[in-house]
Amino acid sequence: MRKPDRTLIADMEVFQGAGPEMLDAILADARVLRIERETAVFAEGEEAAAFFLLLDGHVRVVRTTPAGDQVIMRYIGAGQLIGIAQAIGQATYPASAIAAVDCVALAWPGSLWERFMARTPGFAAAACRTVGRRLQDTQAQLIDMATGQVEQRVARALCRLARQSGRQTGAGLEISFPLSRQDIAEMTGATLHSVSRLLAAWTAMGIIAGGRQRVTVTDFARLQARAGNHPPDAGGEHGP
């Protein structure tokens, strides 16, 4: 694939302050990846040989429990760094990243991480903010899983996704990537039966609408009321 023009990344948080020559050098070291839906960008436990910037699409971040169950930690959208195990001193990826839709990403060798941190304006600060937000997000999720009722957890997850990636349609805020009931169950620690029952009830009440793997929040205020009081949301799309 042809290298992208510098204007594609010039306005991204991670490269703020980098001039034209620096942006060209950054792109010269990058590989452009096109990742098909449901394909792994990287897998949990693999050597962290590269770090990535998502240019287009959404990925879901998944961890596997010792019992073999999958837990969806979060979804990440365009403009975000992923696979930055080096930022937390890890030699392997702590989770898997799976393309929720067809995606395009830039990839750099992991050996360049220290150079980016030292020489690329804005990169170190953006990476530190990303790690901080992820830690906050993970802590909030753990507290929610430990203390929240199933209805609250599911409502909070849908509110968060609608805020992060919802696009306004005539029906409401449509979550802009495929989201199955199994995905929601894995995000919230709920059973598939419980999620199906809740979504069916909320659809009948006019709170949400949806087709196959699509969810539209038609009444955000009522869904938020179902979420109740909850831990602070990190407010962004972040991943490993």
Side-chain angles (χ1 to χ4, degrees):
M1 183 184 291
R2 186 178 62 184
K3 292 287 186 184
D5 186 85
R6 71 172 79 104
T7 58
L8 190 62
I9 63 171
D11 294 331
M12 291 186 175
E13 176 192 21
V14 70
F15 296 128
Q16 283 183 358
E21 291 184 3
M22 176 65 75
L23 292 173
D24 287 341
I26 289 167
L27 290 175
D29 289 325
R31 290 182 297 127
V32 182
L33 304 180
R34 194 177 279 277
I35 307 115
E36 294 184 357
R37 180 185 173 190
E38 297 304 323
T39 300
V41 185
F42 52 83
E44 181 178 353
E46 284 184 350
E47 179 187 357
F51 57 96
F52 308 82
L53 176 68
L54 190 61
L55 295 179
D56 187 52
H58 282 82
V59 301
R60 63 179 179 269
V61 179
V62 180
R63 295 198 68 172
T64 303
T65 70
D69 298 321
Q70 288 194 332
V71 178
I72 297 176
M73 303 301 294
R74 62 189 60 87
Y75 283 81
I76 306 170
Q80 298 292 327
L81 289 167
I82 56 175
I84 57 172
Q86 296 89 348
I88 55 174
Q90 298 295 311
T92 59
Y93 296 117
S96 301
I98 312 295
V101 295
D102 291 345
C103 296
V104 179
L106 294 178
W108 292 271
S111 59
L112 295 182
W113 177 262
E114 293 299 331
R115 193 179 86 183
F116 272 51
M117 290 289 285
R119 302 182 185 176
T120 305
F123 185 86
C128 288
R129 285 193 295 270
T130 298
V131 171
R133 290 188 299 237
R134 291 173 188 173
L135 290 173
Q136 181 185 5
D137 187 37
T138 299
Q139 182 182 42
Q141 186 176 16
L142 289 173
I143 293 172
D144 196 24
M145 296 276 279
T147 62
Q149 299 296 317
V150 171
E151 182 178 36
Q152 289 179 319
R153 299 201 304 266
V154 173
R156 291 168 191 170
L158 293 182
C159 284
R160 182 168 61 250
L161 293 177
R163 284 195 301 268
Q164 291 173 352
S165 65
R167 55 191 177 198
Q168 193 65 51
T169 68
L173 279 173
E174 181 187 62
I175 295 172
S176 58
F177 49 84
L179 186 68
S180 70
R181 297 183 177 193
Q182 183 63 43
D183 291 337
I184 297 170
E186 291 177 8
M187 286 186 70
T188 59
T191 66
L192 180 59
H193 173 75
S194 295
V195 170
S196 297
R197 178 178 53 80
L198 284 170
L199 296 189
W202 293 344
T203 299
M205 296 166 65
I207 296 174
I208 65 168
R212 182 173 176 78
Q213 295 199 348
R214 288 289 176 182
V215 176
T216 299
V217 179
T218 54
D219 193 331
F220 191 87
R222 290 173 69 196
L223 183 63
Q224 203 166 32
R226 297 275 166 177
N229 296 324
H230 58 285
D233 188 354
E237 293 171 304
H238 316 293

